[in-house]
Amino acid sequence: MSIVASDLCTHLLRKQKPEPGANDRMTHQNRSRHLEAVQLFISRQHPEFMKVFEVVNDLPMDDTHCHLITDRDAVTTPQRYIERISLAGYAIESYFPQGVYERWVNGDDATRYELNRSFDIQSKVDGITRDIAESVFMKFLVKELSGFLGCEPKLDVVIEARNERGRDYWSYVNSLFRDVGYENVMLDTGYAEGCGAEEIARFEEAILPCRTNRLARIEMIQRELFPLDISFDEYEQRFLSRMREMLDGSGEGNYGKKSYGMKSYLLPLIGLIRPLYDRALAQASWQNLRKSFHDMPRDREASYAVAKDLRQYNFTLALEECLRRDIPMQIHTGDGEPPSVILRNQDPFYLEEVCRFDRDGVMRMPKIIPLHAGYPSVGKAAWLSHLYPNCYFELSIMTPFVHQSLFQRYMQVMEVVPLSKIMYASDAYHIPELYWLSGLWGKRYLAQALTEHVVGGSLSFDEAIEGARMILYKNNRSLYRLN
């Protein structure tokens, strides 16, 4: 290994070392082990990679789509940690009658024993989490975290070290954000695990000096209004009023603050989205919802179809508002959070009519962001962003869950999507390490992809670094007009 590579590895380890006063358990042996892993990765790269990576790794970054972290995971177990970090863990409670799993998780020993005897909960959870623990993702995560925490690369040891840091949990969370250089996050408050303004404000305070900019989800308004037995005219008025309140930050706003954009979860529910302006269809759909609200079909598709036209009408009103304000609309695409989503509905090409947003024979170009890189249909999401100037591309969920293959995915995206339209994102949730891991791997494999372009001659070194700046923070700040 060259002297330059060795110096870079030493720099990286020094960067990862916890600040003085933190619960620093890093031993010389563990530091050496992590150094070997970093050296191994660097040794396999083209010599130009070291020059690119050293600059990219020190750049600030914005997260264009992410979620609240609470302190409920400050102390955890290996099994619970696996469940909370895995997308497969979303479905666990649905393998039992409603409310059973939550009672089992939060119950005392006697309650857990009785519920387990009736529903065989523990063995099912064991089976799910055992398989997830054997994924390359989890094994790689353990190795990376062991370097940050200064412990052996074993899951139980890593969780023990993490729990020790969890004694001052918010300080630990802050250290994760600082380590990878977050400066702005675009926080989707539509998924907050039942938390309110106080918990969101606590998270925002904890990650300072990283700034939080909130996004409002259409479904937040629907959750408030769908149960109400009111006329359609009143419903429409309330929907528009509440939406503008959330965007403006007036009244209760978006938990007390303005929103910089909106998000929709409509695609995985109904598939192809078409703008709907017909009030008569929306009114009939509202009346259908009133008849069925307390006796909804058990089948997922049938239940979503009850208010399909109303949902499309709401989406259309919201996108019109985004167009008037020149703010983006994020749309859940690709990915999959079973069992509530319908995976086959998530095709990014189902957003074409939204990108067009035709009216009177004119495409009106609202700012659209298909989320989650359209994964696993990355090429389709990339091509949609190539064809429509108002369609952008963000990298979440694929980053970090694809890990080493992010290099190939980033190459695929950059083949067709302009560098000025690609935005880093994590979609981090539940576990703060997802923010850190996404940033760590995002920068590493972005540098690897950009190096390939430098070596191949398609980008100069300076163009590659400017591309990294655009992807990591410039595009996000431009699109959302952040100061």
Side-chain angles (χ1 to χ4, degrees), residues 6-179:
S6 178
D7 288 346
L8 178 54
C9 291
T10 304
H11 167 73
L12 292 175
L13 282 183
R14 187 181 300 117
K15 184 174 181 289
Q16 281 195 326
K17 186 175 181 181
E19 297 178 2
N23 296 318
D24 185 1
R25 297 169 43 130
M26 185 169 283
T27 64
H28 177 73
Q29 180 182 7
N30 290 323
R31 284 177 58 81
S32 297
R33 184 185 296 113
H34 191 60
L35 177 59
E36 291 172 2
V38 175
Q39 287 175 332
L40 179 62
F41 176 79
I42 291 177
S43 68
R44 294 172 175 171
Q45 308 308 311
H46 190 280
E48 190 72 20
F49 169 79
M50 292 178 288
K51 293 170 56 180
V52 175
F53 179 64
E54 188 167 17
V55 178
V56 170
N57 196 54
D58 284 337
L59 290 176
M61 61 196 312
D62 287 6
D63 194 330
T64 203
H65 175 59
C66 52
H67 296 276
L68 172 71
I69 300 297
T70 71
D71 61 2
R72 65 185 63 181
D73 296 290
V75 176
T76 189
T77 65
Q79 185 177 74
R80 181 63 172 165
Y81 187 83
I82 290 170
E83 178 188 336
R84 293 283 283 169
I85 206 169
S86 170
L87 287 170
Y90 272 83
I92 288 182
E93 65 181 32
S94 295
Y95 297 130
F96 312 100
Q98 187 174 5
V100 166
Y101 185 66
E102 184 177 359
R103 286 164 53 207
W104 181 78
V105 168
N106 298 316
D108 56 24
D109 289 344
T111 299
R112 288 169 63 87
Y113 174 81
E114 289 300 325
L115 289 173
N116 196 55
R117 188 173 66 169
S118 299
F119 299 102
D120 195 26
I121 300 173
Q122 187 67 65
S123 67
K124 292 178 182 177
V125 174
D126 287 346
I128 295 167
T129 54
R130 182 171 57 248
D131 288 337
I132 298 169
E134 294 302 318
S135 66
V136 175
F137 169 79
M138 280 303 304
K139 293 179 182 295
F140 194 16
L141 177 151
V142 166
K143 291 177 177 62
E144 297 282 35
L145 273 178
S146 71
F148 184 80
L149 295 169
C151 61
E152 290 184 84
K154 297 179 180 178
L155 179 59
D156 58 341
V157 178
V158 164
I159 296 303
E160 181 183 357
R162 180 192 183 278
N163 287 344
E164 183 67 24
R165 293 290 294 272
R167 292 170 184 252
D168 188 357
Y169 191 58
W170 292 120
S171 175
Y172 170 59
V173 171
N174 188 273
S175 71
L176 293 169
F177 274 69
R178 286 176 179 266
D179 189 67

Side-chain angles (χ1 to χ4, degrees), residues 100-392:
V100 166
Y101 185 66
E102 184 177 359
R103 286 164 53 207
W104 181 78
V105 168
N106 298 316
D108 56 24
D109 289 344
T111 299
R112 288 169 63 87
Y113 174 81
E114 289 300 325
L115 289 173
N116 196 55
R117 188 173 66 169
S118 299
F119 299 102
D120 195 26
I121 300 173
Q122 187 67 65
S123 67
K124 292 178 182 177
V125 174
D126 287 346
I128 295 167
T129 54
R130 182 171 57 248
D131 288 337
I132 298 169
E134 294 302 318
S135 66
V136 175
F137 169 79
M138 280 303 304
K139 293 179 182 295
F140 194 16
L141 177 151
V142 166
K143 291 177 177 62
E144 297 282 35
L145 273 178
S146 71
F148 184 80
L149 295 169
C151 61
E152 290 184 84
K154 297 179 180 178
L155 179 59
D156 58 341
V157 178
V158 164
I159 296 303
E160 181 183 357
R162 180 192 183 278
N163 287 344
E164 183 67 24
R165 293 290 294 272
R167 292 170 184 252
D168 188 357
Y169 191 58
W170 292 120
S171 175
Y172 170 59
V173 171
N174 188 273
S175 71
L176 293 169
F177 274 69
R178 286 176 179 266
D179 189 67
V180 290
Y182 283 111
E183 288 191 352
N184 282 284
V185 298
M186 311 306 296
L187 190 70
D188 170 13
T189 54
Y191 177 71
E193 297 194 277
C195 295
E198 184 176 343
E199 291 90 346
I200 294 172
R202 182 69 189 88
F203 168 69
E204 291 177 333
E205 179 185 0
I207 64 174
L208 289 171
C210 176
R211 298 175 293 275
T212 304
N213 312 280
R214 299 182 186 180
L215 303 172
R217 195 187 287 199
I218 296 173
E219 287 72 22
M220 296 168 67
I221 309 171
Q222 292 176 169
R223 281 200 298 266
E224 294 178 17
L225 301 183
F226 274 12
L228 303 181
D229 188 12
I230 55 180
S231 69
F232 176 72
D233 287 344
E234 184 176 355
Y235 169 84
E236 183 181 37
Q237 186 276 323
R238 288 197 188 192
F239 181 89
L240 290 168
S241 177
R242 185 73 178 108
M243 175 180 61
R244 290 163 182 160
E245 181 181 77
M246 293 175 71
L247 291 173
D248 293 335
S250 58
E252 296 181 359
N254 185 352
Y255 294 102
K257 290 187 179 180
K258 65 176 270 189
S259 304
Y260 286 78
M262 296 197 75
K263 179 185 173 182
S264 168
Y265 207 83
L266 183 57
L267 187 70
L269 305 187
I270 71 168
L272 175 65
I273 304 174
R274 294 184 181 276
L276 178 65
Y277 292 96
D278 191 328
R279 290 187 77 254
L281 286 178
Q283 183 173 16
S285 185
W286 171 253
Q287 292 169 348
N288 190 33
L289 177 64
R290 296 275 50 78
K291 294 175 184 176
S292 307
F293 187 79
H294 295 292
D295 189 24
M296 294 290 283
R298 292 183 177 273
D299 177 75
R300 294 183 302 168
E301 287 185 278
S303 65
Y304 299 148
V306 166
K308 179 179 178 179
D309 286 340
L310 180 63
R311 292 177 189 273
Q312 290 195 101
Y313 184 69
N314 292 340
F315 175 88
T316 304
L317 294 177
L319 192 52
E320 287 285 359
E321 192 71 22
C322 288
L323 188 60
R324 277 192 290 272
R325 295 169 181 253
D326 192 28
I327 58 175
M329 172 71 80
Q330 296 186 354
I331 305 176
H332 183 104
T333 315
D335 177 19
E337 296 161 7
S340 58
V341 305
I342 300 173
L343 295 178
R344 57 190 173 275
N345 285 345
Q346 308 248 64
D347 191 322
F349 280 2
Y350 281 165
L351 295 180
E352 185 175 10
E353 302 309 315
V354 169
C355 292
R356 296 174 59 90
F357 210 44
D358 295 353
R359 199 165 194 185
D360 300 325
V362 176
M363 296 193 300
R364 293 177 299 144
M365 301 178 67
K367 294 176 177 177
I368 301 297
I369 309 174
L371 296 179
H372 314 128
Y375 189 84
S377 300
V378 179
K380 286 187 174 183
W383 196 243
L384 195 68
S385 298
H386 172 85
L387 292 175
Y388 289 98
N390 55 311
C391 184
Y392 296 80

Side-chain angles (χ1 to χ4, degrees), residues 418-423 467 469-480:
L419 297 175
S420 56
K421 294 175 69 180
I422 306 170
M423 295 182 290
R469 291 192 182 100
M470 285 190 279
I471 292 168
L472 291 176
Y473 65 93
K474 279 190 170 184
N475 295 340
N476 182 73
R477 296 177 193 186
S478 174
L479 187 64
Y480 288 99

Side-chain angles (χ1 to χ4, degrees), residues 417-459:
V417 184
L419 297 175
S420 56
K421 294 175 69 180
I422 306 170
M423 295 182 290
Y424 165 81
S426 69
D427 197 22
Y429 55 86
H430 297 171
I431 301 294
E433 288 85 0
L434 278 175
Y435 275 103
W436 177 78
L437 203 62
S438 297
L440 188 74
W441 292 349
K443 285 183 172 180
R444 181 184 302 172
Y445 298 112
L446 175 61
Q448 190 180 8
L450 290 169
T451 299
E452 189 75 9
H453 284 293
V454 172
V455 173
S458 51
L459 292 177

